[in-house]
């Protein structure tokens, strides 16, 4: 009987076994891309650790937690949950930077007297990726911000389509708890763009303040690895300008 304690446990463990099989398939199919995303998460962690005294870091910590759950979900074959978690990662991560410049708004949000909308985060005039915003913290980062704003907006919209049940995207999902290399690849592309956009945003917002005190070079290495192809980043880090730099 499924209603008994043993029946319930058997049902849940059966799902767990399927998820375990999906994780094995996911690592075999896309281990390199999963590793790349996990490295991005660790690099974001480097910035989070330097920001610990700040009140807005709580939202950044929560964002990384949601990304971790989303990675587990996508590996397990819980694809709809993975897209939902990725969208929340973007919202919380970008909100943390918005709150860093809007303490009153952050306090009202925590007290549930204000809502935070994604449209506010990416507003062309006042959003955290707007050149007018970033320029106040980093003149050099403002040059490249629009490309990462586009990546974040595209990923967020894509995740939202799954959450809202748009048939154009949900039709690609397996009807049961089963592995799909196509869906995994699609999610990984969106997740990588999302995490890279947040990492660039952290660099844009805090880089001029934190990099001069980066005694162990860890922050600089995260930026050089992911954005070392950008001319303005290379100039900011004091690296030689290569012919192929954008």
């Amino acid at each position: 009987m499924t209603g008994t304690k043993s029946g319930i446990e058997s049902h849940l463990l059966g799902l767990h076994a399927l998820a375990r099989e999906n994780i094995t398939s996911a690592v075999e199919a896309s281990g390199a891309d999963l590793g790349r995303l996990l490295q991005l998460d660790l690099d974001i962690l480097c910035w989070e650790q330097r920001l610990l005294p700040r009140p807005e870091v709580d939202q950044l910590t929560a964002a990384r937690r949601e990304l971790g759950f989303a990675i587990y979900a996508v590996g397990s074959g819980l694809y709809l949950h993975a897209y939902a978690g990725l969208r929340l990662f973007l919202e919380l991560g970008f909100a943390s930077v918005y709150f860093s410049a809007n303490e009153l708004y952050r306090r009202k949000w925590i007290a549930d007297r204000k809502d935070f909308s994604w449209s506010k985060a990416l507003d062309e005039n006042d959003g955290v990726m707007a050149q007018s915003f970033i320029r106040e913290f980093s003149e050099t980062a403002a040059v490249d911000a629009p490309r990462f704003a586009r990546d974040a907006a595209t990923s967020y919209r894509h995740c939202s389509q799954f959450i809202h049940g748009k048939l154009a995207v949900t039709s690609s999902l397996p009807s049961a708890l089963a592995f799909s290399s196509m869906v995994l690849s699609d999610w990984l592309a969106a997740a990588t763009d999302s995490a890279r956009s947040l990492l660039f945003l952290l660099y844009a917002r805090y880089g001029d303040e934190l990099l001069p005190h980066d005694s162990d070079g860890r922050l600089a290495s995260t930026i050089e690895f992911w954005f070392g192809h950008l001319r303005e980043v290379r100039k900011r880090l004091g690296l030689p300008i290569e012919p192929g730099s954008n």
Side-chain angles (χ1 to χ4, degrees), residues 12-23 75-77 176-179:
L12 293 177
L13 288 175
L15 293 175
H16 177 72
L18 289 174
R20 185 182 181 90
E21 292 175 8
N22 291 338
I23 289 173
S76 300
L177 189 59
F179 172 69

Side-chain angles (χ1 to χ4, degrees), residues 94 121-123 127-131 133-134 145-146 148-149 197-198 200-201:
F94 276 60
L122 281 191
D123 183 88
V128 293
M129 278 292 197
Q131 288 185 314
F133 179 93
I134 290 182
F148 297 103
S197 295
L198 178 57
F200 184 86
L201 179 59

Side-chain angles (χ1 to χ4, degrees), residues 21-39 71-72 74-77 79 83 179-192:
E21 292 175 8
N22 291 338
I23 289 173
T24 299
S25 297
V27 173
E28 289 178 353
S30 300
D33 290 333
L34 282 165
R36 181 177 171 84
L37 179 59
L38 288 170
Q39 184 59 57
I71 292 172
Y72 173 77
V74 80
S76 300
Y79 299 119
Y83 284 105
F179 172 69
S180 170
S181 60
M182 181 184 69
V183 178
L184 174 61
S185 295
D186 178 78
W187 185 89
L188 281 169
T192 300

Side-chain angles (χ1 to χ4, degrees), residues 114-187:
K114 275 281 191 180
D115 292 329
F116 181 78
S117 67
W118 180 250
S119 59
K120 183 180 292 292
L122 281 191
D123 183 88
E124 292 184 0
N125 298 314
D126 301 315
V128 293
M129 278 292 197
Q131 288 185 314
S132 60
F133 179 93
I134 290 182
R135 190 175 292 116
E136 300 305 319
F137 301 99
S138 172
E139 286 281 352
T140 56
V143 174
D144 296 303
R147 71 176 71 188
F148 297 103
R150 288 192 295 271
D151 286 348
T154 298
S155 296
Y156 186 89
R157 182 179 183 278
H158 188 51
C159 291
S160 296
Q161 288 182 305
F162 284 93
I163 293 171
H164 297 312
K166 293 290 186 68
L167 188 61
V169 294
T170 56
S171 60
S172 66
L173 299 178
S175 58
L177 189 59
F179 172 69
S180 170
S181 60
M182 181 184 69
V183 178
L184 174 61
S185 295
D186 178 78
W187 185 89

Side-chain angles (χ1 to χ4, degrees), residues 31-44 64 67-68 71 226:
D33 290 333
L34 282 165
R36 181 177 171 84
L37 179 59
L38 288 170
Q39 184 59 57
L40 261 170
D41 177 48
L42 289 174
D43 289 344
I44 293 172
R64 285 193 53 255
L67 178 60
I71 292 172
W226 295 104

Side-chain angles (χ1 to χ4, degrees), residues 220 223-225 228 231 233-242:
I223 302 308
E224 181 180 358
F225 182 83
R231 178 180 295 270
V233 170
R234 297 191 70 81
K235 286 169 58 178
R236 175 64 186 79
L237 296 179
L239 300 171
I241 306 300
E242 300 176 351

